[in-house]
Amino acid sequence: MTSGTNAHFDEMVDGQGNVRSAYDGYRTWYDDQDQRWLRAQNGRAESFFRRTGITFNVYGEADGEERLIPFDMVPRIISGSEWRRISRGIEQRVKALNAFLHDIYHKQEIIRAGRLPLNMLSQNDAFLQQMVGFNPPGGVYTHIVGVDLVRTGPDEFFVLEENARTPSGVSYMLENRETMMVMFPDLFTQVPVRPVQDYPQRLATSLANCAPPATGSDEPVIAVLTPGIYNSAYYEHSFLADQMGAELVQANDLRIIDGRVAMRTTRGYKAIDVIYRRVDDDFLDPLTFNPESMLGVPGIMDVYRAGGVTIANAPGTGISDDKAIYSYMPDIVRFYTGEKPVLDNVETWRCSEPDALKYVLDNLADLVVKEVHGSGGYGMLIGPTATKAEIKAFAEKLKAKPGNYIAQPTLSLSTVPIFTKSGLAPRHVDLRPFALVSPREISITPGGLTRVAMRKGSLVVNSSQGGGTKDTWVLED
Amino acid sequence: MLGRHANGIFWMFRYLERAENTARLLDAGLQIALTSGVEAADDEWRSVLVTTGQDALYSQSHETYSGMQVPDFMLRGRDNPGSIMQMVENARTNAREVRTSLTREVWETNNETWIALKSMLATPITERNLGDILPLTRRQAALVRGAMEGTMLRNEIYNFARLGTFLERADNIARTLDVKYYVLLPNISMVGSDLDNKQWEAVLRSLSGIRAYRWLNAGRMDARGITSFLLLDRRFPRSLRFCVDKLESNLRFLAEEYGAEGRSHEMVREAARELRETHVDEIIEQGLHQFITAAKTRAVEISNAIAEDYRFIA
């Protein structure tokens, strides 16, 4: 989709063409560089990513060619004070999410209080009966959360969605930084950028802190559970396992032995304390979830419920990724923290409500309509760029199953320059910071993954639809 | 480490070794094709196919052995699961599976091999580009090996990689010698007689042993000497004995690490002992083909025993 106006907020340059203070240091450096050299460096970045094999497969593409996510070498820069507010907002939201998940799987006070309709749970496949009354080790549901933020003005940051199921992209955050440091080492001596490289260690610590107490391991054994090399995020799975010094297991490496989840090693079966799973709930346990699945570990849920293993993120957290639940997040934050949300939601119409549906149907050409269970930019309508026929067809789908959709205004996302053949050019971005939750603390890596729409005017940043990424800097100030 | 990862490492290095050996065979074939008549060239290409066990599949889609048909089939044949491109692809797929067991250098050199070959093998093979592709394949294999030597911890991962390399190489030496034995010595009485130097040179060349052999034997080419060199020499890295010694030392290292032995240790120790104590005359007397057939069967049994001892598969 394209923005209707040029009134969007540019993060580097203000309306008068002055460079904003966060970008001062970078811009001074940039103006000093030889353009030809910069263009050559730009080409080097791609071969770096290819050699490293930071590639992904796009679902539904026949030839199965591996693709690169385009990398742009101009950093996205956030000032220290901006970041303090963002991270405070994320921490608040993540706390509320965990409290919410605990509540809905226990007393459901939010429903008794009339702040959330019961059908949000009862009619939701992501609500897992198996989790009712169960306390995950350390009380943590969402060990790793990616919160998608968009910016529309100097102080206007909005949460677009939460990713509490199996958020991905953190490897790009880390590789982007590494690439930048290889390509422009001098830049990092001139601009004080907060480091991100300790994320894998923090993740390992955070996961270890959530190990089940009953197993009594001094040094908990952690494994990353991947669907395998054909998964689009496989690179990330192997990257994180590697960086954490954890085993990268597949379901067929695992078996239940003496009430523990054990992996088949060359020395025999070895028990695992914490599983950082990168598979969906459905593929965890064929006995519990999906009898057709060849991918799960039969009996793993029984071990989990008996306290023999920690699964991160906990099964059943996916419900908080639901876009209908999202629309209640401001209430959820208030209900569990007693505070006003630091970060606002994007205005959202629930099509399940007759008035909202009417408004949405009348204004389809201006709205973005999303499936409540969808992700990755699939199955959505982007009103401003859709044809009349597409809008008409979508209206029918909407009327047939209104509860399946929410709608949001077309936001004027902020822009950050990218490097093009003809110099710097503004492109729309979003931001996915990553938060780690353990019983001891919530740790948020400064920055996160900036996704950028590489096409001029485009607002679609999803990598599955041609979006790229940038290194994201939080300044030390 | 995970059994599945040990399996992946083992096969990654088997496939790499197989790709490299196939390139060496083609290189030797090319030498003959360039220096002998057309008929001899076709025979040579056919023998390369037989050595790698690809003759039957080739015959299904080809009428003749002439020109660049055989190298094209063996390097990039779409329907050929044993093509060099497919071997390199398999090695990379295994490397992706076991990526957490590899150093960055090993992963990257292996990935570069795949990238380079994929682009070079995008178009049909000609006499001209074959001379670039074969050395590239060997050079890339050397780079992966070098990266491994220089960066990998000498632990179980390294041992499983080496087991894959040397088991594959042993199998390849046996196959090469077996095929040549039939081509070169149609009649058993000819063993020990004067030979077609060019053919024996090709055998040695395909195993990168021509220089070493000449140096050790003052340039004399005879079947007995070459057989002894390729099967029993303990110094030559592409002799059967060298490979089996390496299998033995890597398995011994694993046994020390694990504090336990399995069936594979026993089998390899026995094979190594036999090769140490066997004289080339005994082999020729009992029949080279029988000896090699037994060796090939043994390689398969050892491979299976390793897979079982170290729980490669559930």
Side-chain angles (χ1 to χ4, degrees):
Chain A
M1 68 185 165
T2 35
S3 50
T5 67
N6 289 325
H8 55 258
F9 175 77
D10 189 81
E11 297 189 14
M12 185 190 271
V13 183
D14 69 19
Q16 282 73 51
N18 302 312
V19 175
R20 295 182 200 276
S21 63
Y23 282 85
D24 268 347
Y26 178 77
R27 194 54 199 261
T28 306
W29 174 88
Y30 180 87
D31 290 340
D32 251 9
Q33 308 305 309
D34 173 31
Q35 283 291 314
R36 268 177 315 173
W37 179 77
L38 283 173
R39 279 197 291 275
Q41 290 297 87
N42 204 32
R44 269 184 66 200
E46 178 171 333
S47 64
F48 175 85
F49 281 98
R50 282 235 179 262
R51 192 170 64 236
T52 313
I54 310 177
T55 53
F56 74 107
N57 310 315
V58 177
Y59 294 120
E61 283 201 351
D63 61 356
E65 277 298 307
E66 292 174 5
R67 296 223 318 235
L68 287 180
I69 295 185
F71 167 74
D72 175 70
M73 64 187 196
V74 181
R76 194 260 187 95
I77 306 175
I78 298 167
S79 73
S81 62
E82 285 166 348
W83 178 251
R84 276 188 287 280
R85 189 174 144 240
I86 292 172
S87 66
R88 210 169 60 240
I90 292 171
E91 182 163 346
Q92 179 192 51
R93 205 148 166 130
V94 167
K95 272 186 192 155
L97 267 183
N98 272 285
F100 168 70
L101 286 161
H102 184 270
D103 185 32
I104 63 169
Y105 288 119
H106 291 82
K107 293 183 178 162
Q108 302 193 339
E109 281 170 2
I110 192 167
I111 288 169
R112 293 178 200 204
R115 307 280 282 274
L116 184 76
L118 180 61
N119 66 9
M120 282 289 118
L121 307 182
S122 58
Q123 291 172 17
N124 197 321
D125 289 343
F127 182 82
L128 290 187
Q129 288 300 331
Q130 295 85 347
M131 291 297 289
V132 172
F134 174 71
N135 291 312
V140 178
Y141 286 84
T142 62
H143 306 75
I144 302 109
V145 189
V147 179
D148 287 356
L149 301 176
V150 293
R151 184 177 195 179
T152 58
D155 295 311
E156 286 118 61
F157 286 92
F158 297 93
V159 178
L160 190 60
E161 62 183 52
E162 349 270 344
N163 297 274
R165 200 184 307 239
T166 51
S168 63
V170 79
S171 60
Y172 289 94
M173 171 183 90
L174 296 164
E175 291 285 4
N176 287 354
R177 177 62 56 83
E178 180 156 341
T179 306
M180 288 293 282
M181 293 180 79
V182 169
M183 295 197 331
F184 311 114
D186 51 324
L187 192 43
F188 289 85
T189 63
Q190 292 178 26
V191 184
V193 181
R194 290 184 62 186
V196 295
Q197 284 92 332
D198 60 351
Y199 176 87
Q201 274 62 53
R202 288 209 234 175
L203 174 60
T205 308
S206 187
L207 290 171
N209 288 341
C210 295
T215 63
S217 315
D218 288 344
E219 271 192 53
V221 176
I222 299 171
V224 178
L225 175 60
T226 174
I229 61 169
Y230 299 108
N231 184 272
S232 63
Y234 178 77
Y235 171 75
E236 176 154 307
H237 308 162
S238 71
F239 176 89
L240 289 174
D242 192 28
Q243 298 272 314
M244 290 196 292
E247 287 290 0
L248 179 62
V249 301
Q250 297 178 8
N252 61 2
D253 296 318
L254 304 179
R255 173 183 291 184
I256 308 306
I257 294 176
D258 299 333
R260 301 291 309 277
V261 180
M263 57 185 167
R264 192 183 75 253
T265 76
T266 52
R267 297 167 197 253
Y269 278 89
K270 182 178 175 189
I272 299 172
D273 298 301
V274 182
I275 295 178
Y276 175 25
R277 51 86 174 235
R278 296 293 298 255
V279 303
D280 281 346
D281 288 353
D282 268 1
F283 300 108
L284 272 176
D285 188 342
L287 296 184
T288 308
F289 299 117
N290 184 352
E292 303 295 308
S293 167
M294 301 291 289
L295 295 173
V297 186
I300 193 173
M301 277 304 283
D302 293 338
V303 175
Y304 180 58
R305 288 185 55 95
V309 71
T310 296
I311 297 176
N313 289 350
T317 53
I319 192 163
S320 55
D321 292 4
D322 188 285
K323 292 183 178 66
I325 298 281
Y326 160 88
S327 68
Y328 290 95
M329 272 310 284
D331 286 326
I332 289 173
V333 170
R334 279 190 206 95
F335 187 77
Y336 295 105
T337 67
E339 300 163 2
K340 182 178 174 299
V342 177
L343 294 169
D344 285 324
N345 258 18
V346 176
E347 187 181 5
T348 302
W349 290 275
R350 293 186 278 265
C351 302
S352 57
E353 296 168 5
D355 288 353
L357 178 64
K358 183 172 184 310
Y359 175 84
V360 171
L361 284 169
D362 289 347
N363 293 279
L364 270 181
D366 301 321
L367 298 172
V368 178
V369 189
K370 299 173 178 174
E371 288 186 4
V372 292
H373 309 306
S375 67
Y378 293 99
M380 61 195 280
L381 175 84
I382 299 162
T385 57
T387 63
K388 279 200 171 126
E390 282 166 348
I391 289 177
K392 196 156 173 269
F394 204 92
E396 292 310 313
K397 288 206 291 188
L398 195 50
K399 277 186 252 176
K401 257 188 132 180
N404 206 25
Y405 297 93
I406 54 113
Q408 293 171 335
T410 311
L411 292 178
S412 177
L413 300 188
S414 61
T415 57
V416 172
I418 64 166
F419 184 80
T420 70
K421 268 179 252 167
S422 42
L424 298 178
R427 293 291 185 272
H428 295 290
V429 294
D430 78 354
L431 176 65
R432 176 179 293 178
F434 295 92
L436 297 171
V437 185
S438 81
R440 295 179 197 177
E441 59 167 354
I442 292 174
S443 139
I444 302 165
T445 301
L449 179 67
T450 290
R451 300 188 298 176
V452 54
M454 301 301 281
R455 263 187 315 116
K456 189 177 177 186
S458 169
L459 291 166
V460 181
V461 298
N462 302 71
S463 56
S464 52
Q465 323 230 350
T469 68
K470 278 172 168 295
D471 189 17
T472 307
W473 292 3
V474 172
L475 299 182
E476 304 258 17
D477 61 73
Chain B
M1 70 185 297
L2 291 177
R4 180 173 53 82
H5 283 180
N7 186 48
I9 287 275
F10 180 81
W11 280 99
M12 172 188 168
F13 281 89
R14 278 200 83 151
Y15 283 126
L16 278 178
E17 182 70 21
R18 197 177 291 178
E20 185 186 353
N21 289 331
T22 307
R24 285 172 194 280
L25 280 170
L26 285 172
D27 205 14
L30 181 64
Q31 294 300 325
I32 290 198
L34 294 179
T35 52
S36 315
V38 173
E39 213 171 297
D42 288 6
D43 279 351
E44 181 57 27
W45 288 133
R46 182 164 173 271
S47 109
V48 171
L49 282 168
V50 172
T51 304
T52 53
Q54 298 175 12
D55 194 31
L57 186 65
Y58 178 87
S59 307
Q60 285 175 19
S61 52
H62 297 76
E63 302 284 317
T64 64
Y65 297 97
S66 61
M68 287 290 108
Q69 293 184 92
V70 174
D72 193 79
F73 178 77
M74 292 185 61
L75 276 159
R76 57 187 289 276
R78 261 186 187 283
D79 311 318
N80 180 10
S83 72
I84 287 182
M85 191 64 236
Q86 192 58 51
M87 293 302 104
V88 170
E89 181 98 42
N90 290 352
R92 181 172 182 268
T93 303
N94 277 288
R96 284 191 76 199
E97 286 239 13
V98 303
R99 195 168 166 153
T100 51
S101 300
L102 301 172
T103 58
R104 187 169 194 132
E105 283 86 344
V106 173
W107 159 261
E108 284 186 4
T109 45
N110 187 59
N111 193 37
E112 275 169 358
T113 303
W114 177 78
I115 292 170
L117 276 177
K118 210 172 156 68
S119 101
M120 282 195 99
L121 294 178
T123 51
I125 302 299
T126 62
E127 277 87 347
R128 205 173 274 187
N129 69 18
L130 187 58
D132 294 331
I133 291 167
L134 295 175
L136 173 85
T137 311
R138 289 205 318 224
R139 193 167 57 241
Q140 288 299 133
L143 281 175
V144 177
R145 206 164 26 238
M148 193 175 77
E149 287 296 322
T151 63
M152 295 276 288
L153 198 62
R154 295 305 194 265
N155 63 0
E156 52 192 346
I157 298 171
Y158 183 83
N159 294 130
F160 289 119
R162 301 298 273 173
L163 288 173
T165 298
F166 288 108
L167 205 55
E168 183 64 32
R169 191 179 292 176
D171 180 69
N172 185 254
I173 294 162
R175 282 164 181 274
T176 306
L177 203 54
D178 202 25
V179 170
K180 283 298 168 189
Y181 174 77
Y182 276 119
V183 172
L184 296 174
L185 303 170
N187 181 337
I188 194 71
S189 66
M190 288 174 72
V191 170
S193 66
D194 283 345
L195 300 162
D196 181 340
N197 281 2
K198 225 181 269 170
Q199 288 284 344
W200 281 106
E201 263 187 54
V203 176
L204 288 169
R205 196 184 294 276
S206 71
L207 294 165
S208 285
I210 188 130
R211 198 179 158 277
Y213 181 81
R214 280 199 187 121
W215 185 75
L216 289 167
N217 294 278
R220 276 190 317 278
M221 292 281 168
D222 69 277
R224 186 175 168 279
I226 291 171
T227 304
S228 175
F229 178 65
L230 293 181
L231 293 181
L232 302 176
D233 196 291
R234 70 185 180 88
R235 299 157 298 179
F236 177 51
R238 290 176 184 276
S239 82
L240 187 63
R241 175 161 171 203
F242 186 94
C243 294
V244 175
D245 283 349
K246 284 289 181 190
L247 291 178
E248 192 187 14
S249 63
N250 280 283
L251 279 169
R252 192 168 54 230
F253 197 96
L254 282 171
E256 282 164 12
E257 270 300 287
Y258 285 50
E261 283 197 354
R263 221 159 45 87
S264 57
H265 298 81
E266 206 175 305
M267 291 166 74
V268 167
R269 204 160 38 230
E270 178 62 19
R273 192 186 55 76
E274 278 176 35
L275 283 172
R276 270 198 304 276
E277 293 172 359
T278 302
H279 193 269
V280 67
D281 292 335
E282 296 168 54
I283 295 175
I284 289 174
E285 203 172 301
Q286 286 159 20
L288 181 59
H289 177 64
Q290 284 77 358
F291 180 87
I292 287 175
T293 306
K296 284 199 296 192
T297 309
R298 232 169 179 179
V300 174
E301 287 167 359
I302 289 169
S303 184
N304 292 340
I306 292 171
E308 202 175 299
D309 288 345
Y310 293 102
R311 300 169 180 83
F312 281 6
I313 295 156

